[in-house]
Amino acid sequence: MMSPVATFKFILVLLVATLGLEVLARVTRLPPAAALIIGGIALAFTPGLPAFSLDPDFILVLFLPPLLIHGAYSTAWTAFVRGLPSILALAIGAVAFTTLVVGLATHWLVPSLPWAACFALGAVVSPPDAVAAKALLTRVRLPMRLAVLLEGESLLNDAAGLVLYRFAVAATLSGTFSATEAGLAFGGLAFGGIAVGVGIGLVWVQLLRLLKDVHLTIAATFVLPWAAYVGGEAAHVSGVIATVVAGLILGWHQHTVFTAGVRLRTTATWHVMIYLLEAFVFVLIGLSFRGVAERLGSAHEEVLFLVGPVAGIVAAVVLSRFAWVFGVYGFKHITGRLLRTTWAPLSPAAATTLAWSGMRGVVTLAIAIALPDAVPGRDLILASAFAVILVTNLLQGTTLGPLIRLLSLQADPDSDAAHLSRAQAHSHIVRVQLKEAEKLKHDNDGKILYSWMLKYAPHPFALDNEFSDISFDCANNHSMDRRDLLGVIAVGRAEALRLHRSGRIRDEILQEIEYEFDLQELSAEAAHK
């Protein structure tokens, strides 16, 4: 047992190792998750380093809430709501289907293992990982619809996996199981989690409106994920869903709650924290291999016996996701043709990418380690869970980028019939700002000075004859009054938000424009000090 000082020193060693592994991943062009897991395994067997053990409950409550709320906060809200049926088909349907298929495969491979234990194993390996999905989305460019499906699935599937796991373990230990009772309990946990998340999220939004200090506001955003998660668990509902809902609410209201300075500083601070948490998660997964190896390595015959079943279980995990994705979207395609709906199914290339993106991670590891010793086949479950994590991250995570290039999977076009493109949105917003600025007179001749507008305009654009009679004085070094300048920026910000709320621009365009307005506002304030 390490002392607190030794633990802190060990964490510092891990931090330095994490930074080094990130650099190595960029040099070798390996996915960071793969490099960090391999590095963690190497550290686990490095002579002189202490043995490291994971407390699964502590790991879940430490890492899961901030990672979930960060994903929910940055989720494309309108696209998430529009794609919710497909997201739920993955987050609930695919998780339940994987649990069923893996349970059946496990019982076929190891007939002596009780059915409940087989399905407990299925529940352990069923939910793809939110951290792995987030790491994937930062490294590959996917069509917007596919990215929303992957991110939305990663936010909600942990709840489904954890519920199935708890019922499977309870059935294993008690010998009884009721599908009706499990379904009702899942509904209660889900709707209860939504209620808790809405309540805590709205309370936090009002709290953030009252806080005027930047540092207090940032600190309050750090407390929110644990408040929602712990609050949900204390109310005996899904803490995962409560955290996701609270994050979605904060993400929706942050445009009006945060000032430019608060938003930029909060975003920068959170990016650093999330980077460290994600990196530590993958390193800890690698470090945990030592404990798994020590537990299984004492009996060589048992290890050899496990090789075949573990390989079959890994195959069942991968193939079940392919079967579900192609089955669901094939069914939707057929029914869409018969009913003559306008629903556009995923292309075979997009469906293949979605099916190959099922990496497992911290939730699978934590709940596998948390299995009671009394559960039959615990060693098989633990070995299978770790094998699934390794294969899905090292094989799928490493090959996903080349697969996308091989399939010629293209990103969404810049615009479609329902949305303004980036250039159209910028042009429209600046026109609104120009109309507001036209009311302002600043020099003795009554001429409007627009040089600041041309300086801050994010992209070159062609104005039509609507403003052809306006005199642009780009050579004049005078600047608008600070109050007027900030007022015109505020008008542009309000128009961008109005376009987003009415469905005219997509979430990522709003975020881009809002970021530019934040920089403009801070620059204007700094120039007038």
Side-chain angles (χ1 to χ4, degrees):
M1 184 71 179
M2 287 189 289
S3 68
V5 174
T7 301
F8 177 70
K9 290 180 179 178
F10 186 57
I11 292 173
L12 292 179
V13 170
L14 292 183
L15 178 58
V16 173
T18 297
L19 297 176
L21 290 169
E22 274 284 347
V23 173
L24 180 64
R26 297 187 182 188
V27 171
T28 59
R29 296 191 175 182
L30 271 175
L36 292 167
I37 290 176
I38 294 172
I41 294 174
L43 285 173
F45 293 97
T46 300
L49 285 181
F52 184 81
S53 61
L54 292 173
D55 182 331
D57 293 331
F58 176 69
I59 292 298
L60 283 180
V61 78
L62 174 63
F63 288 101
L64 198 56
L67 294 172
L68 285 174
I69 209 165
H70 182 257
Y73 176 85
S74 57
T75 291
W77 174 278
T78 53
F80 177 84
V81 173
R82 188 167 57 248
L84 190 58
S86 297
I87 290 172
L88 292 177
L90 286 169
I92 298 177
V95 167
F97 182 72
T98 300
T99 301
L100 175 64
V101 170
V102 172
L104 293 173
T106 303
H107 195 266
W108 178 70
L109 293 165
V110 189
S112 60
L113 197 64
W115 277 107
C118 295
F119 290 121
L121 170 55
V124 166
V125 299
S126 61
D129 186 50
V131 183
K134 197 72 177 177
L136 159 70
L137 294 174
T138 59
R139 290 184 59 85
V140 298
R141 183 168 177 80
L142 296 174
M144 181 65 182
R145 181 181 176 191
L146 195 56
V148 169
L149 286 178
L150 281 171
E151 191 162 345
E153 176 196 15
S154 71
L155 292 175
L156 300 178
N157 58 17
D158 288 338
L162 288 169
V163 170
L164 289 172
Y165 164 79
R166 289 170 183 171
F167 277 101
V169 171
T172 303
L173 297 178
S174 66
T176 60
F177 176 76
S178 170
T180 302
E181 181 183 345
L184 291 174
F186 179 78
L189 290 170
F191 287 108
I194 293 172
V196 171
V198 169
I200 293 179
L202 292 177
V203 168
W204 232 259
V205 167
Q206 296 306 315
L207 172 64
L208 292 172
R209 292 184 194 277
L210 297 176
L211 295 175
K212 304 300 181 182
D213 183 81
V214 174
H215 301 97
L216 286 177
T217 302
I218 295 175
T221 63
F222 282 162
V223 177
L224 175 58
W226 288 288
Y229 185 86
V230 174
E233 294 295 314
H236 302 291
V237 298
S238 174
V240 170
I241 293 179
T243 306
V244 170
V245 171
L248 289 171
I249 289 174
L250 180 60
W252 178 261
H253 287 282
Q254 56 97 4
H255 308 289
T256 57
V257 170
F258 293 152
T259 64
V262 167
R263 183 166 28 253
L264 290 173
R265 295 179 188 179
T266 300
T267 301
T269 306
W270 267 91
H271 280 168
V272 173
M273 188 182 82
I274 293 301
Y275 161 75
L276 291 175
L277 288 176
E278 289 178 348
F280 266 103
V281 163
F282 290 119
V283 171
L284 291 177
I285 288 173
L287 284 172
S288 66
F289 181 71
R290 180 173 175 176
V292 175
E294 288 177 348
R295 180 179 177 88
L296 299 177
S298 57
H300 296 291
E301 292 182 0
E302 183 179 352
V303 172
L304 292 175
F305 169 76
L306 292 176
V307 170
V310 167
I313 289 164
V314 172
V317 170
V318 175
L319 294 176
S320 63
R321 184 172 176 86
F322 271 89
W324 179 262
V325 169
F326 279 92
V328 167
Y329 285 97
F331 175 76
K332 286 188 175 183
H333 178 65
I334 294 171
T335 55
R337 293 285 296 272
L338 292 176
L339 300 176
R340 297 182 180 180
T341 62
T342 58
W343 184 84
L346 289 175
S347 66
T352 301
T353 303
L354 184 63
W356 193 243
S357 304
M359 285 76 72
R360 270 61 173 179
V362 63
V363 173
T364 292
L365 179 66
I367 59 180
I369 294 173
L371 274 172
D373 289 333
V375 173
R378 186 180 188 276
D379 288 346
L380 172 64
I381 296 174
L382 195 59
S384 300
F386 202 87
V388 167
I389 292 170
L390 284 181
V391 171
T392 55
N393 280 279
L394 300 184
L395 176 61
Q396 292 179 304
T398 303
T399 59
L400 190 61
L403 177 66
I404 292 172
R405 290 190 291 272
L406 178 66
L407 296 174
S408 299
L409 193 62
Q410 300 296 323
D412 291 332
D414 188 54
S415 63
D416 54 40
H419 297 93
L420 297 176
S421 68
R422 285 175 172 81
Q424 290 170 333
H426 283 306
S427 179
H428 173 86
I429 291 168
V430 172
R431 280 181 167 83
V432 172
Q433 290 181 291
L434 287 171
K435 288 181 179 179
E436 176 67 18
E438 192 176 5
K439 306 171 186 176
L440 307 173
K441 307 297 180 181
H442 289 280
D443 61 6
N444 296 331
D445 298 328
K447 182 166 53 177
I448 304 170
L449 305 177
Y450 284 94
S451 58
W452 69 273
M453 182 72 74
L454 297 181
K455 174 184 176 182
Y456 286 129
H459 296 288
F461 55 85
L463 290 173
D464 55 26
N465 294 330
E466 181 181 356
F467 294 98
S468 60
D469 59 334
I470 293 178
S471 172
F472 290 87
D473 187 3
C474 298
N476 198 310
N477 291 325
H478 296 291
S479 59
M480 296 181 70
D481 178 80
R482 173 179 176 274
R483 231 175 5 180
D484 293 337
L485 179 54
L486 292 176
V488 174
I489 293 174
V491 167
R493 189 191 298 275
E495 181 63 17
L497 193 58
R498 187 192 70 79
L499 290 174
H500 175 260
R501 296 293 194 252
S502 62
R504 298 288 307 283
I505 61 175
R506 299 194 300 265
D507 297 79
E508 68 273 15
I509 295 180
L510 172 66
Q511 292 168 6
E512 175 187 302
I513 293 173
E514 189 172 50
Y515 175 72
E516 291 163 350
F517 280 138
D518 288 342
L519 293 179
Q520 292 174 19
E521 186 174 319
L522 291 181
S523 178
E525 290 177 348
H528 288 80
K529 284 183 179 179

